Amino acid sequence: MVFLIVICHEMGHASMALFFRWRIKRIELLPFGGVVELDEHGNRPLKEELLVILAGPLQHVWLTGLAFLLYELELITSHNFELFMYHNIIILVFNLLPIWPLDGGKLLFLLYSMKFSFAKAHRLTILSSCSVLLILATVAFIIEPYQLNMWVIFMFLVFSLYTEWKQCSYVYIRFLLERYYGKQRNILKLKPLIVKEADSIIDVLSMFCRGYKHPIVIEENNKKRFELDENELLHAYFSEKQTSGSIRDLIHDY
């Protein structure tokens, strides 16, 4: 039962990702769940990502309807129906917990991305996930301290969060590389970034947000002095290797 529920859940994510022509690296099935690993790095439209995330939990709706129909037709016993519904609800609720890399954690990342830069939203998602996991672990220790399966899942989530934190810089660089090579699709909104000449290139790049293209407006004494396209910063950082350069260096190039 658990395997059937998990495979349907993950196929929901994968089917929606294929519908939007996302790149799927692999689908992993674990003893207590599954993961669809995508070769996308934060530059797809937020609406697409929202639908890809929700496509998994939505599978539990038709699974509930199917189980109810089979029960009404007396094709399954009441015991099997209740057992299936129990697993179905538990897996749904578990996946909606606001903990990375669960669906709830990915929804939290999208929510933070609507207000903060990619880098900040990513860090906040991990920190918020750690806080929620700590609270749940404390409650679980008080209520069910000897539930081995639950602690295995907790350890998996701890390991996932630790790995994600260690890879923060890598994830952020991949996000910028996707923008540099022009793979951001359907970005129609502009969000100017107001900076100073003395600001470093890497600090300005850390302000980049998902779903926006950024004109870089250089101001001095509250007056606009110059404007750069975001691609000029990306080119300077990745092609010209100005990893420690400042905005002033780019202006003087002109």
Side-chain angles (χ1 to χ4, degrees), residues 82-98:
E82 292 172 1
L83 188 61
F84 182 87
M85 291 300 297
Y86 170 77
H87 289 310
N88 194 36
I89 292 173
I90 288 296
I91 293 174
L92 173 61
V93 172
F94 172 73
N95 269 280
L96 290 178
L97 291 175

Side-chain angles (χ1 to χ4, degrees), residues 68-87:
F68 182 76
L69 177 61
L70 294 176
Y71 174 69
E72 288 294 309
L73 295 175
E74 298 184 350
L75 296 176
I76 58 174
T77 65
S78 61
H79 171 73
N80 285 335
F81 172 70
E82 292 172 1
L83 188 61
F84 182 87
M85 291 300 297
Y86 170 77
H87 289 310

Side-chain angles (χ1 to χ4, degrees), residues 133-161:
L133 186 60
L134 179 61
I135 294 172
L136 291 178
T138 303
V139 173
F141 182 78
I142 296 173
I143 298 176
E144 290 284 349
Y146 303 111
Q147 180 58 255
L148 180 60
N149 290 340
M150 180 177 60
W151 292 115
V152 170
I153 295 174
F154 273 124
M155 291 306 298
F156 168 76
L157 293 175
V158 168
F159 176 76
S160 298
L161 287 170

Side-chain angles (χ1 to χ4, degrees), residues 1 4-9 56-70 81 84-85 88:
M1 287 183 183
L4 173 64
I5 295 169
V6 169
I7 198 78
C8 289
H9 181 106
L58 285 176
Q59 305 312 304
H60 297 266
V61 177
W62 71 263
L63 283 172
T64 299
L66 177 62
F68 182 76
L69 177 61
L70 294 176
F81 172 70
F84 182 87
M85 291 300 297
N88 194 36

Side-chain angles (χ1 to χ4, degrees), residues 38-57:
L38 302 166
D39 193 20
E40 302 291 342
H41 303 282
N43 284 298
R44 289 286 191 163
L46 296 182
K47 290 182 180 179
E48 283 188 15
E49 186 158 349
L50 176 62
L51 292 174
V52 171
I53 295 172
L54 293 179

